[in-house]
Amino acid sequence: MRLTEFGDLNWVPHIYHYYLRIYSLFFIRFIGYDKMWAKQTEAFLKRVKAKSVIEYGSGSGEPLLRTVSKIKSPALKSLNYTMSDLRPLPEFVEKVNNHLPENFSYIKEPVDASTHRPQKGQAVVFINSFHHLPPETAKRVIKNNLENGNEMLILEYVRNSFLAHVSMVFGPLIVMLTVPFVVKLKHLPIAILFTYLIPIFPLMLLWDGLVSGLSAYNEKFFRNAIEDLNCHAEVSTNIERSLLYPSGTVTTSITLKG
């Protein structure tokens, strides 16, 4: 049985979806996931000779921006990067389209990665979002992209491992320590109520973190998917660890053979 995250439910209040993205970005900054992803991202974009990139499940959009900013190659930094999400929040769409560099843009309308067809040959990126796809949907996304000539890079900071699950427990604790400094003043009363007096927000984050880890796909899944789909592709997985995050981030690339 596959469990569901609160962040995937439409009936969950907007404020949770908003701060789920804010705190995801907070942890990326605090732990430095973007630094851990940048090397593999640069290697992937060079290997597939990317001319443009589309990201699915972009959330706030800033994880992609921060990862690209850590790339050394000026040519790769200047590629056109398109962001998209199944549930794009206007606050983040507007920020990307109006305030970020011109080569970054965010599609305003909802984009379903399982049905959307990017430009032929466009590199496809998922940042901490691929694990949200159910197995059959994940396979369909892989099939659609490879058949269209879109090679894929999947970046995750969740893993289905004991150490990774333990690390998720610290997330709600950090949230409880930082709410007064991260949450907007207008949202602070409700945040205090549902963080400290009735700790629903930290418990929801804990659930989502643990479910994310349990839902994360490993290299065996991708290899089996490629074999089942009869796709001529190669899978490569890399784990980057740091002192702040010993469980490690996972980078998976799916590239066409030949």
Side-chain angles (χ1 to χ4, degrees), residues 6 28 40 80-81 88 95 97 112 122 156 169 174-175 183-184 195 206:
F6 288 106
I28 287 172
Q40 297 300 322
N80 286 324
Y81 292 88
K95 180 179 179 181
N97 290 337
D112 186 340
Q122 191 173 34
E156 297 275 12
V169 175
I174 294 173
V175 167
V183 174
K184 292 180 178 180
T195 299
L206 176 61

Side-chain angles (χ1 to χ4, degrees), residues 26-256:
F26 175 84
F27 288 122
I28 287 172
R29 288 172 170 169
F30 177 70
I31 298 176
Y33 299 132
D34 51 342
K35 297 177 184 177
M36 300 164 77
W37 286 326
K39 181 180 177 181
Q40 297 300 322
T41 300
E42 182 165 13
F44 168 80
L45 295 176
K46 283 182 178 178
R47 186 165 66 251
V48 304
K49 299 178 180 178
K51 293 181 173 58
S52 63
V53 176
I54 183 168
E55 181 195 15
Y56 293 115
S58 297
S60 69
E62 202 159 333
L64 176 64
L65 177 70
R66 292 184 64 85
T67 300
V68 172
S69 72
K70 303 296 188 299
I71 290 175
K72 295 179 181 179
S73 167
L76 294 179
K77 284 184 177 181
S78 64
L79 294 177
N80 286 324
Y81 292 88
T82 302
M83 302 173 187
S84 69
D85 205 296
L86 185 62
R87 187 186 291 104
L89 300 190
E91 302 96 317
F92 301 117
V93 172
E94 181 182 354
K95 180 179 179 181
V96 170
N97 290 337
N98 295 337
H99 302 291
L100 293 188
E102 290 183 357
N103 60 318
F104 286 83
S105 61
Y106 206 132
I107 300 173
K108 296 179 181 180
E109 298 76 23
V111 174
D112 186 340
S114 67
T115 58
H116 184 261
R117 285 281 180 138
Q119 298 172 18
K120 190 172 180 64
Q122 191 173 34
V124 170
V125 173
F126 288 83
I127 298 184
N128 209 50
S129 56
F130 197 84
H131 66 269
H132 290 278
L133 304 176
E136 291 307 312
T137 304
K139 289 180 181 179
R140 187 161 63 250
V141 168
I142 294 171
K143 182 176 186 292
N144 290 346
N145 279 292
L146 293 181
E147 287 182 348
N148 199 48
N150 304 106
E151 297 174 283
M152 302 174 63
L153 180 68
I154 299 164
L155 308 170
E156 297 275 12
Y157 65 68
V158 294
R159 294 176 62 206
N160 193 356
S161 69
F162 174 75
L163 193 57
H165 298 324
V166 170
S167 69
M168 290 298 110
V169 175
F170 291 97
L173 297 177
I174 294 173
V175 167
M176 296 183 80
L177 291 172
T178 60
V179 157
F181 309 102
V182 174
V183 174
K184 292 180 178 180
L185 186 60
K186 65 179 180 179
H187 296 146
L188 203 51
I190 193 169
I192 289 173
L193 174 63
F194 289 110
T195 299
Y196 304 114
L197 302 179
I198 310 172
I200 293 177
F201 184 43
L203 290 175
M204 289 171 73
L205 283 176
L206 176 61
W207 172 267
D208 279 3
L210 293 174
V211 171
S212 291
L214 292 170
S215 303
Y217 295 110
N218 57 24
E219 187 172 355
K220 182 179 178 181
F221 169 85
F222 291 109
R223 293 193 180 279
N224 289 342
I226 297 293
E227 186 176 338
D228 292 345
L229 296 169
N230 196 28
C231 295
H232 298 288
E234 296 177 331
V235 177
S236 175
T237 298
N238 183 77
I239 298 175
E240 292 280 344
R241 294 180 170 87
S242 71
L243 291 176
L244 279 176
Y245 201 62
S247 65
T249 62
V250 184
T251 302
T252 302
S253 63
I254 306 176
T255 54
L256 294 164

Side-chain angles (χ1 to χ4, degrees), residues 10-28:
N10 289 324
W11 57 263
V12 171
H14 175 87
I15 192 172
Y16 180 78
H17 291 291
Y18 177 79
Y19 281 105
L20 184 64
R21 288 158 171 76
I22 291 294
Y23 266 102
S24 176
L25 177 58
F26 175 84
F27 288 122
I28 287 172

